[in-house]
Amino acid sequence: MSTSPTHQQQQTSPTHQQQHTSPTHQQQHTSPTHQQKQQPTSPTHNQPTNAPTSPATTTATTTVKTPTDIIKEKCESSLQQPDSIMSVEASSLMKEYITVGGRPQDVITFLSESYRGYAQMCNLLCHWLKIAGIPEEQIQTQFSNHLKEIIINKFDPKVADTIFTSSSTPPHWLDEMIVDSQWRSLIYQLSEEHKNCLMLNFIIQRISDSGYQNEIASLSTASTYYRVFNKVLFDSLADLVTLDEISFRQQLDEFKKSCCQHQHTYLYAQATIQNLIKNNPQKAYNLKRISQELELEATKKNKIAQRISLMMSNISQYPLISSSVTSLLMSNTTTTGDIIKLYNEYTKPQPPPVDFLRYPNLLELLLSDLFCPGKVIQGVHKSKWIYLVTYSVCINSANNEKDNNVFKDITRAIEIVHHICQSNPLGSELQSVVGTLKDHLDFPIISMGIMLWIKHNLTDTTNLSSYNTLCVPIYLEFLRDICLRHPLHRSVVLNILVSHFEVEAQDLESLAILEMRKNVIDNIVYLFGCGYAIPVLDTIESWAPKIDPSLTRYFINQVLDIIEPPYSQSFMDKMKSIIKIINPFGESTKLEPSVQSFLDQCKNQLILNNTNNNNNNNNNNNNNNNNNNNNNNNNNNNNNNNNNNNNNNNNNNNNNNNNNNNNNNNNNNNNKNSNNNINNNINNNINNNINNNINNNEDENEQVF
């Protein structure tokens, strides 16, 4: 065992040498146990003993260390680590070291010499930064982020599992970490990187049991345990079916990520949703949409997901429909043979359910053939494409009935718009058909077809130079009109604008590209003004680090011109994040007056919100106090009534008791009087006898003297 400098000094002191030469100490030094303990010491320790080494001593010096020595060395090594006193195991190490023979003085030496004070250094540095004028919130954020980076880089799942399995109960600090949102976010990051860590998986379970299912919905570890995933799934479904379009879009991504982590989670989620659709007809459309969104997400990873969705339906009861739909979805292209089969089946007197035509990918294929330029459909079979599209949007899925008038109107509108889109007019020809297209734009299916046609032209790099001056303004006008008429199509409009913004136009000059993108931002701001605010801000936030900063500043100024307080918390957070990207150091001198005014309004609103929250809390407390006072008054009144009743009863009882006591006292007094007479007689007799005896004794004494 390697001894510390303090221990070596004690061994070489004169007092220690005198003890070494004593007979008693020599006997201890020659014992096998003592030799084993002194084996690793320096040669100076063996100098006082000049006697020749016996064979027994030689044998003992080569003996292997005992378990006690090994434990002692391990404890010494751990206690000598930098800042070992800050370790969670410090107290247990000290107890263990002293138990195996270590001295308390050595423990104090180890802890004091190994102390570095890193935690106190961090606190001092934070204090200096605060004196330098940096906001305390920013200091705490930077400090916590740096600490998270250190933990992520140094985290060892094996060591964590060892600490976790070494104790029969969870660590006491676990509950404190679960309550804090920053620690939870760190646990989520670690669990994504170390999916097989037992400790992290257990913490994820505890977080789910604590009511934070929404936070862990997108984690891969959420699907590891059935109980956790099942709770997340049902809570998410209960929220999704009641949300508006924007909130639905925001939460849908997390839900899809959670359900599509593994094959078994996707199957379980789809089977659960299909069962809910059958048992909850009033929520069927919302649940069907969720199921289709899951299918689209899973199809990006593997097309077998579409086949699985078909197997879960009752499409197998219609073999021709099943083969045609499966062929179209798996190949992602239409064939005349499959379209003819579907048309023949759906023109029968008893057609199959219309749901088989409402798969999103299938409808997109049919619309693309009808409205995208360059798609060639034989004139003989064109009516079959139009019939299937019209049938899919006009039939009531509950009873398979159709409104013939609406059916004819939509059929006629598709034929007219299909002819215009396939001819793909330019310039003055396009301007002449704008009115015709807008007349039929009220039909959602026509709106979807026109957006496919516009997207095709806005992302076609070969003709973008000519479209930019002649047709792009008209296309963008159609998109703005669609935003007003069909709110549910705003997400599609935003995707088209994003695709047009990111297209690489080789034939255009830099200034022309900048002007084109500024024009796109104008239309994105219009979409923002229609109420589609948060998705627009998400898009700009993703663009800001990559695009020209002037475009980001242009967007901010355009938005600030059309808004006024009060603002939602999510809106303020998004806007401040975008502003921080173009002004990362928060220098107010580089901000425009409108931007600085917006930041001041956000700050004032935050203070006002906190004040209102405090007032609400005070009001709630006052209400609670009033309720408590009322309850106390009622209780006091009841208690007073009870006390009065009790007093009356007590008075009656006391009167009765007093009468009884008086009778008893009279009897007792009579008894006492008779007893007293007897006692007095007895006492008188005794006193007389005593006095007689005393007199007799006095006479005798006088005679003696």
mmCIF file of all heavy atoms in Angstrom, residues 170-203:
data_model
loop_
_atom_site.group_PDB
_atom_site.id
_atom_site.type_symbol
_atom_site.label_atom_id
_atom_site.label_comp_id
_atom_site.label_asym_id
_atom_site.label_seq_id
_atom_site.Cartn_x
_atom_site.Cartn_y
_atom_site.Cartn_z
ATOM 1 N N PRO A 170 -33.813 3.713 -5.743
ATOM 2 C CA PRO A 170 -33.329 4.753 -6.658
ATOM 3 C C PRO A 170 -32.588 5.846 -5.897
ATOM 4 O O PRO A 170 -32.846 6.082 -4.720
ATOM 5 C CB PRO A 170 -34.619 5.297 -7.298
ATOM 6 C CG PRO A 170 -35.640 4.240 -7.082
ATOM 7 C CD PRO A 170 -35.278 3.572 -5.799
ATOM 8 N N PRO A 171 -31.644 6.520 -6.550
ATOM 9 C CA PRO A 171 -30.911 7.602 -5.879
ATOM 10 C C PRO A 171 -31.860 8.706 -5.415
ATOM 11 O O PRO A 171 -32.874 8.987 -6.055
ATOM 12 C CB PRO A 171 -29.953 8.114 -6.973
ATOM 13 C CG PRO A 171 -29.861 7.001 -7.960
ATOM 14 C CD PRO A 171 -31.169 6.292 -7.925
ATOM 15 N N HIS A 172 -31.500 9.343 -4.309
ATOM 16 C CA HIS A 172 -32.374 10.371 -3.745
ATOM 17 C C HIS A 172 -32.434 11.613 -4.622
ATOM 18 O O HIS A 172 -33.388 12.380 -4.556
ATOM 19 C CB HIS A 172 -31.872 10.753 -2.346
ATOM 20 C CG HIS A 172 -30.516 11.398 -2.343
ATOM 21 N ND1 HIS A 172 -29.344 10.652 -2.377
ATOM 22 C CD2 HIS A 172 -30.134 12.702 -2.346
ATOM 23 C CE1 HIS A 172 -28.313 11.479 -2.376
ATOM 24 N NE2 HIS A 172 -28.746 12.719 -2.369
ATOM 25 N N TRP A 173 -31.390 11.819 -5.476
ATOM 26 C CA TRP A 173 -31.375 13.013 -6.321
ATOM 27 C C TRP A 173 -32.220 12.845 -7.578
ATOM 28 O O TRP A 173 -32.378 13.796 -8.353
ATOM 29 C CB TRP A 173 -29.938 13.357 -6.729
ATOM 30 C CG TRP A 173 -29.087 12.169 -7.105
ATOM 31 C CD1 TRP A 173 -28.194 11.520 -6.318
ATOM 32 C CD2 TRP A 173 -29.071 11.473 -8.371
ATOM 33 N NE1 TRP A 173 -27.610 10.472 -6.996
ATOM 34 C CE2 TRP A 173 -28.133 10.421 -8.263
ATOM 35 C CE3 TRP A 173 -29.754 11.635 -9.574
ATOM 36 C CZ2 TRP A 173 -27.867 9.552 -9.314
ATOM 37 C CZ3 TRP A 173 -29.489 10.765 -10.617
ATOM 38 C CH2 TRP A 173 -28.557 9.741 -10.483
ATOM 39 N N LEU A 174 -32.766 11.666 -7.795
ATOM 40 C CA LEU A 174 -33.505 11.413 -9.038
ATOM 41 C C LEU A 174 -34.784 12.248 -9.106
ATOM 42 O O LEU A 174 -35.098 12.835 -10.150
ATOM 43 C CB LEU A 174 -33.831 9.919 -9.140
ATOM 44 C CG LEU A 174 -34.543 9.470 -10.416
ATOM 45 C CD1 LEU A 174 -33.722 9.815 -11.637
ATOM 46 C CD2 LEU A 174 -34.797 7.967 -10.370
ATOM 47 N N ASP A 175 -35.516 12.335 -8.010
ATOM 48 C CA ASP A 175 -36.768 13.095 -8.015
ATOM 49 C C ASP A 175 -36.524 14.576 -8.264
ATOM 50 O O ASP A 175 -37.324 15.242 -8.933
ATOM 51 C CB ASP A 175 -37.502 12.897 -6.688
ATOM 52 C CG ASP A 175 -38.000 11.473 -6.518
ATOM 53 O OD1 ASP A 175 -38.243 10.817 -7.548
ATOM 54 O OD2 ASP A 175 -38.125 11.011 -5.371
ATOM 55 N N GLU A 176 -35.410 15.099 -7.746
ATOM 56 C CA GLU A 176 -35.093 16.508 -7.981
ATOM 57 C C GLU A 176 -34.796 16.761 -9.458
ATOM 58 O O GLU A 176 -35.161 17.806 -10.007
ATOM 59 C CB GLU A 176 -33.899 16.922 -7.122
ATOM 60 C CG GLU A 176 -34.160 16.811 -5.617
ATOM 61 C CD GLU A 176 -32.933 17.187 -4.801
ATOM 62 O OE1 GLU A 176 -31.922 17.592 -5.431
ATOM 63 O OE2 GLU A 176 -32.980 17.071 -3.567
ATOM 64 N N MET A 177 -34.126 15.826 -10.114
ATOM 65 C CA MET A 177 -33.836 15.980 -11.546
ATOM 66 C C MET A 177 -35.113 15.919 -12.377
ATOM 67 O O MET A 177 -35.267 16.660 -13.352
ATOM 68 C CB MET A 177 -32.864 14.889 -12.001
ATOM 69 C CG MET A 177 -31.481 14.999 -11.427
ATOM 70 S SD MET A 177 -30.354 13.753 -12.104
ATOM 71 C CE MET A 177 -30.239 14.280 -13.807
ATOM 72 N N ILE A 178 -36.035 15.061 -12.008
ATOM 73 C CA ILE A 178 -37.268 14.908 -12.783
ATOM 74 C C ILE A 178 -38.111 16.172 -12.722
ATOM 75 O O ILE A 178 -38.741 16.560 -13.713
ATOM 76 C CB ILE A 178 -38.055 13.685 -12.268
ATOM 77 C CG1 ILE A 178 -37.306 12.391 -12.615
ATOM 78 C CG2 ILE A 178 -39.463 13.647 -12.853
ATOM 79 C CD1 ILE A 178 -37.939 11.146 -12.061
ATOM 80 N N VAL A 179 -38.103 16.856 -11.592
ATOM 81 C CA VAL A 179 -38.921 18.062 -11.448
ATOM 82 C C VAL A 179 -38.373 19.207 -12.294
ATOM 83 O O VAL A 179 -39.123 20.023 -12.822
ATOM 84 C CB VAL A 179 -38.997 18.469 -9.963
ATOM 85 C CG1 VAL A 179 -39.702 19.799 -9.801
ATOM 86 C CG2 VAL A 179 -39.725 17.394 -9.172
ATOM 87 N N ASP A 180 -37.047 19.268 -12.477
ATOM 88 C CA ASP A 180 -36.421 20.383 -13.192
ATOM 89 C C ASP A 180 -36.462 20.139 -14.696
ATOM 90 O O ASP A 180 -36.057 19.075 -15.184
ATOM 91 C CB ASP A 180 -34.969 20.538 -12.729
ATOM 92 C CG ASP A 180 -34.354 21.824 -13.231
ATOM 93 O OD1 ASP A 180 -33.884 21.832 -14.382
ATOM 94 O OD2 ASP A 180 -34.354 22.818 -12.493
ATOM 95 N N SER A 181 -36.938 21.114 -15.469
ATOM 96 C CA SER A 181 -37.087 20.951 -16.922
ATOM 97 C C SER A 181 -35.741 20.844 -17.623
ATOM 98 O O SER A 181 -35.610 20.116 -18.614
ATOM 99 C CB SER A 181 -37.880 22.131 -17.493
ATOM 100 O OG SER A 181 -37.228 23.356 -17.225
ATOM 101 N N GLN A 182 -34.713 21.561 -17.140
ATOM 102 C CA GLN A 182 -33.403 21.491 -17.785
ATOM 103 C C GLN A 182 -32.775 20.111 -17.618
ATOM 104 O O GLN A 182 -32.181 19.573 -18.568
ATOM 105 C CB GLN A 182 -32.485 22.569 -17.203
ATOM 106 C CG GLN A 182 -32.894 23.985 -17.560
ATOM 107 C CD GLN A 182 -31.882 25.016 -17.098
ATOM 108 O OE1 GLN A 182 -30.980 24.717 -16.314
ATOM 109 N NE2 GLN A 182 -32.033 26.236 -17.577
ATOM 110 N N TRP A 183 -32.902 19.531 -16.439
ATOM 111 C CA TRP A 183 -32.367 18.186 -16.237
ATOM 112 C C TRP A 183 -33.134 17.175 -17.080
ATOM 113 O O TRP A 183 -32.545 16.226 -17.605
ATOM 114 C CB TRP A 183 -32.411 17.809 -14.759
ATOM 115 C CG TRP A 183 -31.371 18.469 -13.911
ATOM 116 C CD1 TRP A 183 -31.573 19.309 -12.863
ATOM 117 C CD2 TRP A 183 -29.948 18.344 -14.043
ATOM 118 N NE1 TRP A 183 -30.381 19.724 -12.340
ATOM 119 C CE2 TRP A 183 -29.357 19.142 -13.037
ATOM 120 C CE3 TRP A 183 -29.120 17.644 -14.915
ATOM 121 C CZ2 TRP A 183 -27.977 19.254 -12.884
ATOM 122 C CZ3 TRP A 183 -27.738 17.762 -14.763
ATOM 123 C CH2 TRP A 183 -27.184 18.550 -13.757
ATOM 124 N N ARG A 184 -34.440 17.374 -17.214
ATOM 125 C CA ARG A 184 -35.218 16.443 -18.045
ATOM 126 C C ARG A 184 -34.757 16.504 -19.503
ATOM 127 O O ARG A 184 -34.630 15.468 -20.158
ATOM 128 C CB ARG A 184 -36.710 16.773 -17.956
ATOM 129 C CG ARG A 184 -37.351 16.448 -16.633
ATOM 130 C CD ARG A 184 -38.875 16.325 -16.750
ATOM 131 N NE ARG A 184 -39.484 17.496 -17.342
ATOM 132 C CZ ARG A 184 -39.882 18.563 -16.666
ATOM 133 N NH1 ARG A 184 -39.706 18.614 -15.356
ATOM 134 N NH2 ARG A 184 -40.456 19.583 -17.275
ATOM 135 N N SER A 185 -34.508 17.701 -19.996
ATOM 136 C CA SER A 185 -34.039 17.818 -21.383
ATOM 137 C C SER A 185 -32.687 17.130 -21.563
ATOM 138 O O SER A 185 -32.428 16.511 -22.604
ATOM 139 C CB SER A 185 -33.942 19.286 -21.785
ATOM 140 O OG SER A 185 -32.950 19.961 -21.027
ATOM 141 N N LEU A 186 -31.815 17.220 -20.553
ATOM 142 C CA LEU A 186 -30.529 16.522 -20.623
ATOM 143 C C LEU A 186 -30.735 15.009 -20.653
ATOM 144 O O LEU A 186 -30.069 14.291 -21.419
ATOM 145 C CB LEU A 186 -29.659 16.918 -19.429
ATOM 146 C CG LEU A 186 -28.334 16.161 -19.289
ATOM 147 C CD1 LEU A 186 -27.429 16.433 -20.485
ATOM 148 C CD2 LEU A 186 -27.634 16.554 -17.992
ATOM 149 N N ILE A 187 -31.651 14.522 -19.833
ATOM 150 C CA ILE A 187 -31.939 13.079 -19.814
ATOM 151 C C ILE A 187 -32.473 12.630 -21.169
ATOM 152 O O ILE A 187 -32.126 11.548 -21.668
ATOM 153 C CB ILE A 187 -32.933 12.758 -18.683
ATOM 154 C CG1 ILE A 187 -32.264 12.987 -17.321
ATOM 155 C CG2 ILE A 187 -33.435 11.319 -18.787
ATOM 156 C CD1 ILE A 187 -33.206 12.916 -16.156
ATOM 157 N N TYR A 188 -33.308 13.461 -21.808
ATOM 158 C CA TYR A 188 -33.829 13.107 -23.129
ATOM 159 C C TYR A 188 -32.697 12.995 -24.156
ATOM 160 O O TYR A 188 -32.671 12.061 -24.970
ATOM 161 C CB TYR A 188 -34.844 14.155 -23.591
ATOM 162 C CG TYR A 188 -36.032 14.318 -22.682
ATOM 163 C CD1 TYR A 188 -36.715 15.531 -22.593
ATOM 164 C CD2 TYR A 188 -36.478 13.273 -21.883
ATOM 165 C CE1 TYR A 188 -37.801 15.694 -21.752
ATOM 166 C CE2 TYR A 188 -37.558 13.428 -21.035
ATOM 167 C CZ TYR A 188 -38.216 14.649 -20.976
ATOM 168 O OH TYR A 188 -39.279 14.801 -20.141
ATOM 169 N N GLN A 189 -31.757 13.934 -24.115
ATOM 170 C CA GLN A 189 -30.635 13.879 -25.051
ATOM 171 C C GLN A 189 -29.780 12.636 -24.823
ATOM 172 O O GLN A 189 -29.373 11.964 -25.776
ATOM 173 C CB GLN A 189 -29.780 15.142 -24.900
ATOM 174 C CG GLN A 189 -30.484 16.428 -25.295
ATOM 175 C CD GLN A 189 -29.592 17.647 -25.108
ATOM 176 O OE1 GLN A 189 -28.380 17.559 -25.173
ATOM 177 N NE2 GLN A 189 -30.208 18.801 -24.864
ATOM 178 N N LEU A 190 -29.510 12.339 -23.560
ATOM 179 C CA LEU A 190 -28.693 11.158 -23.261
ATOM 180 C C LEU A 190 -29.409 9.873 -23.660
ATOM 181 O O LEU A 190 -28.784 8.929 -24.167
ATOM 182 C CB LEU A 190 -28.362 11.127 -21.770
ATOM 183 C CG LEU A 190 -27.419 12.227 -21.260
ATOM 184 C CD1 LEU A 190 -27.307 12.160 -19.740
ATOM 185 C CD2 LEU A 190 -26.048 12.090 -21.900
ATOM 186 N N SER A 191 -30.713 9.819 -23.446
ATOM 187 C CA SER A 191 -31.463 8.603 -23.779
ATOM 188 C C SER A 191 -31.511 8.363 -25.285
ATOM 189 O O SER A 191 -31.587 7.219 -25.725
ATOM 190 C CB SER A 191 -32.887 8.694 -23.215
ATOM 191 O OG SER A 191 -33.608 9.749 -23.845
ATOM 192 N N GLU A 192 -31.452 9.447 -26.087
ATOM 193 C CA GLU A 192 -31.429 9.277 -27.537
ATOM 194 C C GLU A 192 -30.103 8.694 -27.998
ATOM 195 O O GLU A 192 -30.055 7.926 -28.966
ATOM 196 C CB GLU A 192 -31.664 10.631 -28.223
ATOM 197 C CG GLU A 192 -33.087 11.156 -28.083
ATOM 198 C CD GLU A 192 -34.082 10.340 -28.882
ATOM 199 O OE1 GLU A 192 -34.004 10.329 -30.111
ATOM 200 O OE2 GLU A 192 -34.922 9.670 -28.258
ATOM 201 N N GLU A 193 -29.009 9.032 -27.305
ATOM 202 C CA GLU A 193 -27.687 8.545 -27.691
ATOM 203 C C GLU A 193 -27.376 7.179 -27.079
ATOM 204 O O GLU A 193 -26.632 6.393 -27.669
ATOM 205 C CB GLU A 193 -26.616 9.547 -27.267
ATOM 206 C CG GLU A 193 -26.740 10.906 -27.961
ATOM 207 C CD GLU A 193 -25.664 11.877 -27.510
ATOM 208 O OE1 GLU A 193 -24.739 11.430 -26.780
ATOM 209 O OE2 GLU A 193 -25.736 13.058 -27.872
ATOM 210 N N HIS A 194 -27.911 6.903 -25.905
ATOM 211 C CA HIS A 194 -27.628 5.643 -25.198
ATOM 212 C C HIS A 194 -28.956 4.928 -24.939
ATOM 213 O O HIS A 194 -29.493 4.970 -23.826
ATOM 214 C CB HIS A 194 -26.889 5.920 -23.893
ATOM 215 C CG HIS A 194 -25.678 6.790 -24.042
ATOM 216 N ND1 HIS A 194 -24.474 6.320 -24.525
ATOM 217 C CD2 HIS A 194 -25.493 8.126 -23.808
ATOM 218 C CE1 HIS A 194 -23.590 7.304 -24.557
ATOM 219 N NE2 HIS A 194 -24.185 8.411 -24.136
ATOM 220 N N LYS A 195 -29.475 4.297 -25.965
ATOM 221 C CA LYS A 195 -30.814 3.716 -25.886
ATOM 222 C C LYS A 195 -30.873 2.466 -25.010
ATOM 223 O O LYS A 195 -31.944 2.063 -24.582
ATOM 224 C CB LYS A 195 -31.302 3.379 -27.297
ATOM 225 C CG LYS A 195 -31.406 4.596 -28.201
ATOM 226 C CD LYS A 195 -31.872 4.235 -29.590
ATOM 227 C CE LYS A 195 -31.958 5.471 -30.478
ATOM 228 N NZ LYS A 195 -32.380 5.164 -31.854
ATOM 229 N N ASN A 196 -29.711 1.829 -24.745
ATOM 230 C CA ASN A 196 -29.704 0.596 -23.967
ATOM 231 C C ASN A 196 -29.273 0.813 -22.515
ATOM 232 O O ASN A 196 -29.016 -0.160 -21.809
ATOM 233 C CB ASN A 196 -28.772 -0.426 -24.623
ATOM 234 C CG ASN A 196 -29.247 -0.831 -26.000
ATOM 235 O OD1 ASN A 196 -30.447 -0.950 -26.243
ATOM 236 N ND2 ASN A 196 -28.316 -1.040 -26.920
ATOM 237 N N CYS A 197 -29.174 2.042 -22.086
ATOM 238 C CA CYS A 197 -28.770 2.328 -20.709
ATOM 239 C C CYS A 197 -29.948 2.077 -19.768
ATOM 240 O O CYS A 197 -31.020 2.668 -19.911
ATOM 241 C CB CYS A 197 -28.292 3.773 -20.597
ATOM 242 S SG CYS A 197 -27.755 4.237 -18.943
ATOM 243 N N LEU A 198 -29.737 1.190 -18.801
ATOM 244 C CA LEU A 198 -30.815 0.813 -17.887
ATOM 245 C C LEU A 198 -31.250 1.997 -17.028
ATOM 246 O O LEU A 198 -32.446 2.204 -16.806
ATOM 247 C CB LEU A 198 -30.350 -0.339 -16.989
ATOM 248 C CG LEU A 198 -30.038 -1.667 -17.690
ATOM 249 C CD1 LEU A 198 -29.531 -2.674 -16.675
ATOM 250 C CD2 LEU A 198 -31.273 -2.204 -18.395
ATOM 251 N N MET A 199 -30.280 2.772 -16.542
ATOM 252 C CA MET A 199 -30.622 3.882 -15.668
ATOM 253 C C MET A 199 -31.463 4.927 -16.405
ATOM 254 O O MET A 199 -32.465 5.420 -15.886
ATOM 255 C CB MET A 199 -29.350 4.536 -15.125
ATOM 256 C CG MET A 199 -29.629 5.618 -14.092
ATOM 257 S SD MET A 199 -28.173 6.517 -13.559
ATOM 258 C CE MET A 199 -27.914 7.579 -14.967
ATOM 259 N N LEU A 200 -31.077 5.249 -17.638
ATOM 260 C CA LEU A 200 -31.820 6.251 -18.402
ATOM 261 C C LEU A 200 -33.218 5.753 -18.742
ATOM 262 O O LEU A 200 -34.192 6.517 -18.690
ATOM 263 C CB LEU A 200 -31.055 6.605 -19.678
ATOM 264 C CG LEU A 200 -29.734 7.348 -19.480
ATOM 265 C CD1 LEU A 200 -29.031 7.549 -20.811
ATOM 266 C CD2 LEU A 200 -29.968 8.691 -18.811
ATOM 267 N N ASN A 201 -33.338 4.481 -19.089
ATOM 268 C CA ASN A 201 -34.667 3.943 -19.387
ATOM 269 C C ASN A 201 -35.570 3.955 -18.153
ATOM 270 O O ASN A 201 -36.777 4.217 -18.248
ATOM 271 C CB ASN A 201 -34.540 2.518 -19.926
ATOM 272 C CG ASN A 201 -33.944 2.484 -21.320
ATOM 273 O OD1 ASN A 201 -34.003 3.467 -22.051
ATOM 274 N ND2 ASN A 201 -33.360 1.365 -21.690
ATOM 275 N N PHE A 202 -34.976 3.675 -16.994
ATOM 276 C CA PHE A 202 -35.761 3.731 -15.761
ATOM 277 C C PHE A 202 -36.212 5.163 -15.476
ATOM 278 O O PHE A 202 -37.355 5.398 -15.061
ATOM 279 C CB PHE A 202 -34.925 3.196 -14.596
ATOM 280 C CG PHE A 202 -35.597 3.329 -13.257
ATOM 281 C CD1 PHE A 202 -36.590 2.446 -12.867
ATOM 282 C CD2 PHE A 202 -35.255 4.363 -12.390
ATOM 283 C CE1 PHE A 202 -37.218 2.572 -11.637
ATOM 284 C CE2 PHE A 202 -35.864 4.499 -11.164
ATOM 285 C CZ PHE A 202 -36.852 3.599 -10.787
ATOM 286 N N ILE A 203 -35.315 6.137 -15.708
ATOM 287 C CA ILE A 203 -35.676 7.541 -15.463
ATOM 288 C C ILE A 203 -36.780 7.971 -16.413
ATOM 289 O O ILE A 203 -37.692 8.718 -16.027
ATOM 290 C CB ILE A 203 -34.435 8.437 -15.615
ATOM 291 C CG1 ILE A 203 -33.394 8.084 -14.545
ATOM 292 C CG2 ILE A 203 -34.813 9.900 -15.506
ATOM 293 C CD1 ILE A 203 -32.098 8.848 -14.668
#
